[in-house]
Amino acid sequence: MGLDLINGVPAHVLFVHVVVVLIPLTALALVLCAIWPSAMRRFGLALPVLALVALVCVPLTTDAGEWLERHVGSNALVRRHAELGDELLPWSIALFLVAAALWWTYRRADNRAAEATGPTTRNAVATPLRIAASVLSLVIGVGAGVQVYRIGDSGAKAAWHDGYSATAHPDHG
């Protein structure tokens, strides 16, 4: 049994905001850290921890969304939103795995550089790895960001498709 209601409000409506912020933030941090080693040194362990928190929030949000789905009228828009929501977990797992691998690789390289005589050897070995990590991080980051957008767009359509008027009500001036 998951966390379904928070203070009488469906938990999904609250959790979704955490995911909408953390997944793109993690994706951006991942790409920055992959491209610039100085960013990775500054982020340090915070990068995989951020990715882990984002990863944990996805199934919490999905579980709360499944509860909410059972408590609203089912229609094609709600079903599409639920289907898209189920597709975010693989992206968040990939974000976490790449963030953890990137952190571990940079930490290991920094330890080896401290033992070596100079940074030239480290840079020569790290450049191909950094390019591969940058491309992989960019693909996963963009994919996760696009998926968050698609889920959010479908959720907004499902929630608001008949809930507003394009013209203002006369009593609201």
Side-chain angles (χ1 to χ4, degrees):
M1 173 149 224
L3 188 58
D4 303 323
L5 293 171
I6 298 175
N7 201 25
V9 176
H12 178 73
V13 177
L14 301 171
F15 290 160
V16 75
H17 291 88
V18 176
V19 171
V20 165
V21 170
L22 286 185
I23 294 292
L25 183 64
T26 302
L28 179 61
L30 179 63
V31 171
L32 287 174
C33 288
I35 293 172
W36 291 292
S38 61
M40 185 66 237
R41 282 190 281 285
R42 288 185 180 157
F43 267 86
L45 188 58
L47 178 64
V49 168
L50 178 65
L52 180 61
V53 171
L55 171 59
V56 168
C57 288
V58 169
L60 287 174
T61 304
T62 303
D63 184 57
E66 289 170 356
W67 178 89
L68 182 58
E69 183 181 13
R70 291 188 302 271
H71 290 83
V72 298
S74 181
N75 62 50
L77 294 173
V78 171
R79 285 190 299 277
R80 178 68 178 148
H81 175 65
E83 290 168 4
L84 288 170
D86 289 339
E87 295 173 10
L88 186 59
L89 186 59
W91 289 106
S92 60
I93 290 170
L95 279 173
F96 171 70
L97 291 175
V98 173
L102 190 67
W103 169 77
W104 182 79
T105 301
Y106 273 87
R107 182 173 179 203
R108 191 168 163 222
D110 283 345
N111 289 341
R112 284 187 179 172
E115 296 170 1
T117 57
T120 307
T121 305
R122 178 176 161 229
N123 287 338
V125 173
T127 300
L129 181 61
R130 196 171 74 222
I131 291 169
S134 298
V135 170
L136 182 61
S137 297
L138 190 60
V139 168
I140 291 171
V142 168
V146 167
Q147 189 63 20
V148 166
Y149 172 80
R150 292 175 66 214
I151 295 165
D153 181 60
S154 70
K157 287 177 181 172
W160 292 100
H161 73 280
D162 285 332
Y164 72 95
S165 173
T167 59
H169 292 348
D171 61 334
H172 292 294

